[in-house]
Amino acid sequence: MGAMRRVFVDRASPQRDAIDEAAKWIVDGGVVAIPTDTLYGLAADPFSAAAVARVFEVKGRSGDRALPLIASDTGQVTTYIGQLSSDAARLAARFWPGPLTLLVAAPRALAKDVSGGTGKVGVRVPADDVARRICAAVGRPVTATSANASGEAATADPSTVERTLGDRIDLLIDTGPAPGGAPSTIVDATGRTPLLVRAGALAWDEIQAWLNNEQGARRP
């Protein structure tokens, strides 16, 4: 694995070469710590069993817990993960980019351990320009599990990532402290009606109100 490289990136105007370097590591099976709209996450190729195994190795945990994914936009989700249900598509149109994770059916091409044996995978489009640009440069969604060892607290501080994981990962994209705050709200969109799985930054009442308003608007 060797020594980790830390690259400082201007959040307001990200350097293209830094985005490309992160994407190259991910495409080549590496593990890269990247900022998201809440905390720092570990980005790897979710379609590579070896890369996913490395993420679990970095975190020091078994592969029985699912790994969340992030994508550059809704189009990347539908291309690589699958078509969204009508309710999921309406939620994505309203709340992406943002702190809404949708649980959808895991495609067969995903590495098995990404879904943690559930047959489902959580995906969102983050409200962080650097994270979205990295996904776009990779050309497909990437993992975004928190950048911390199992049992340790997730962190918004890139220096903490370097101190705790620096000898286990390949690259750290440092845009300064991440905003922190509540985690994304997780909604299961695999059934007939969306179900709240984890309360988070987005209020469930707001999600339900949007769906109800949309349904009302579609009635003749």
Side-chain angles (χ1 to χ4, degrees), residues 12-190:
S13 181
Q15 304 94 307
R16 180 75 219 185
D17 57 346
I19 301 294
D20 287 344
E21 182 177 357
K24 185 176 188 311
W25 273 113
I26 293 166
V27 169
D28 289 346
V31 177
V32 178
I34 66 170
T36 73
D37 38 5
T38 52
L39 304 165
Y40 272 77
L42 296 177
D45 181 0
F47 297 91
S48 163
V52 168
R54 270 206 62 197
V55 172
F56 286 114
E57 182 185 334
V58 168
K59 289 183 72 75
R61 81 176 196 209
S62 61
D64 58 354
R65 290 180 60 191
L67 297 177
L69 307 182
I70 56 171
S72 60
D73 52 30
T74 304
Q76 197 174 66
V77 173
T78 57
T79 298
Y80 287 93
I81 306 301
Q83 286 299 126
L84 298 175
S85 68
S86 56
D87 280 340
R90 285 195 293 276
L91 290 174
R94 169 65 180 85
F95 296 111
W96 283 356
L100 174 67
T101 294
L102 293 175
L103 282 185
V104 297
R108 299 181 75 160
L110 269 186
K112 184 168 62 69
D113 285 344
V114 171
S115 65
T118 64
K120 302 174 184 179
V121 64
V123 64
R124 70 188 173 101
V125 176
D128 183 278
D129 186 45
V130 171
R132 292 197 309 274
R133 285 176 186 238
I134 289 171
C135 292
V138 171
R140 53 189 177 273
V142 302
T143 67
T145 186
S146 56
N148 58 289
S150 185
E152 299 291 322
T155 184
D157 180 8
S159 292
T160 299
V161 175
E162 180 173 41
R163 188 180 72 251
T164 58
L165 301 180
D167 59 345
R168 307 185 205 175
I169 62 177
D170 301 299
L171 180 70
L172 167 60
I173 296 294
D174 180 354
T175 58
S184 66
T185 300
I186 300 178
V187 172
D188 189 335
T190 61

